[in-house]
Amino acid sequence: MAVIRSVIRSVGAHLPKRVMTNADMMKIVDTSDEWIVERTGIRARHIADEDEKTSDLGIAASKQALVRAGIDPIDIDLVICATATPDRTFPATAVTIQRALGITKGAAFDVQAVCSGFVYALTIADNFLKAGQFKRAIVVGAETFSRILDWNDRGTCVLFGDGAGAVVLEAQPQHGTTEDRGILTTVIRSDGRFEDLLYVDGGPGSTKTVGHLRMNGREVFRHAVQKISGVIEEALVMTGFAPDEIDLYVPHQANKRILDGVVKKLGVEPDKIVVTLDRHGNTSAASIPLALNHAFEAHKLQEGSLVLMEAMGGGFTWGAVLARW
Ligand code: UT7
C-alpha cells in the first residue's frame, strides 16, 4: 500500500569555534581530566561566544543541510527548532531561523523537551508530513547550554556544551513496508513525576530569570538505561527488527557509561554506536543531529542504512526514532 514517509534528505551541523578542554575546566572548578573522562567519556566541549546565539548555530547547521539536500529554502514549509535555550522567551528561535533562511510560508515553532527535543521534533514533523499538511521540513536541534550552567557546580558544568544540527525532511511516496526510506516509527514518552531530578531553577513565569541547570546525576543515570532501552525495544517491536539488524545507533550523547549500559542490555555491537560526546559533551537537543552529521561525514550513513536515534532528558522525557536513510 502506498504511503507517505518523511525521508531524511540531508544533515548539517555547526559547533562554536571556542573549545574548552577538561584541562580548561580544571581552572574553573575542582575537577580532573581523569574524573571527567572516567565518569562521562567527555574530553572537550564547544562554548558559544557572547554574541553567538542559539539561532546563529541553528542557522549555520540548517544552511549546510539545505545545501547538501540541494533544496531551495523557499521550498521548505515547516521549521521546527528543538531547544531549551532559545534566544529569547519569545518569539520562537525557529521563527528567527526561518527568517534568516528567507522562508516566508508555512509554519515555524520551537519544541521544548530538553535533551529529547530532537526526537520529539522529528516525531512532530513526521506526523505533519505524513498527514499531508506540509511537504518539506527543517528540524533543528540547537543549544547554548553554557548560558544556563552554574559554573560553580562541578557536578554539572563539566558535562554540557553548545552546538546545533539540522536535518531536511521531505514527504515522499513509499511502499508502506519496512524496506521504505524515511522515518519508519517514532516513540515519545514523558513522566512529570521526575521533574525535580533535572530542571532549571528559573523561568519567566516563576522567577522572571533564566535560572541555572540543576541535576541529581546519580538518579538520572539510574533511570536512563532502563527508559532508553525500553523505547528502543518498543521501536523494534513496532517494526519487527532485531537489535542486530540496525546498522547505526545514534544516541543522545549524555554519558558514555549510559551508552555502554544500553549496548550491554540490548546486546548491540559497540562499533554500531555513534559516539561524539568526547568532543562536544552533552549538547542536549543538538546532540543527535551532531552525531548524525559525524556519521554522515565519516561515510557511515549510506542510502538504505537503518538508523535508530534515542534520547532521554529533563521532565523526564524520552523517546526513539527508527528511520531508513
Ligand atoms: O542529558 C540529560 C541526561 N543527563 C544525564 O544522563 C546525566 C546522567 N548522570 C551522569 O552522567 C552521572 O551521574 C554524572 C556524570 C553526572 C556523575 O557521575 P556519578 O558517578 O553518578 O558521580 P556522583 O554524582 O555520584 O558523584 C561522585 C563523586 C562525588 O563526591 P563524593 O560525594 O563521593 O565525595 C562528587 O562530589 O564525584 C564528585 N564529583 C566530581 N569530582 C570531580 C562530582 N562532579 C565532579 C567533578 N570532578 N566534575
Side-chain angles (χ1 to χ4, degrees), residues 29-33 35-36 39-40 42 114-116 145 153-160 198 213 215-222 224 228 252-258 282-284 287 312-314 316:
V29 284
D30 179 14
T31 190
S32 65
D33 179 53
W35 190 95
I36 302 173
R39 302 284 178 131
T40 71
I42 298 165
V114 207
C115 299
S116 314
F145 253 53
D153 176 12
R154 66 176 182 174
T156 54
C157 72
V158 302
L159 304 174
F160 295 89
L198 176 50
L213 183 146
M215 177 167 73
N216 182 335
R218 206 175 288 189
E219 280 300 306
V220 176
F221 195 102
R222 208 168 61 76
I228 290 165
H252 166 53
Q253 310 281 318
N255 187 317
K256 179 73 168 62
R257 287 189 294 146
I258 296 177
N282 181 345
T283 55
S284 184
S287 85
M312 180 183 138
F316 291 147

Side-chain angles (χ1 to χ4, degrees), residues 3 7 13 22 38 64 70 95 103 136 138 147 151 169 184-185 223 227 242-243 273 299-300 305 311 321:
V3 297
V7 172
N22 291 348
E38 207 170 275
Q64 186 178 46
V95 177
I103 304 166
R136 289 184 198 86
I138 294 189
R147 306 264 156 78
W151 289 94
L169 299 181
L184 300 176
T185 198
H223 285 273
K227 288 192 162 43
I273 311 259
H299 307 288
K300 285 187 180 171
S305 299
V321 173

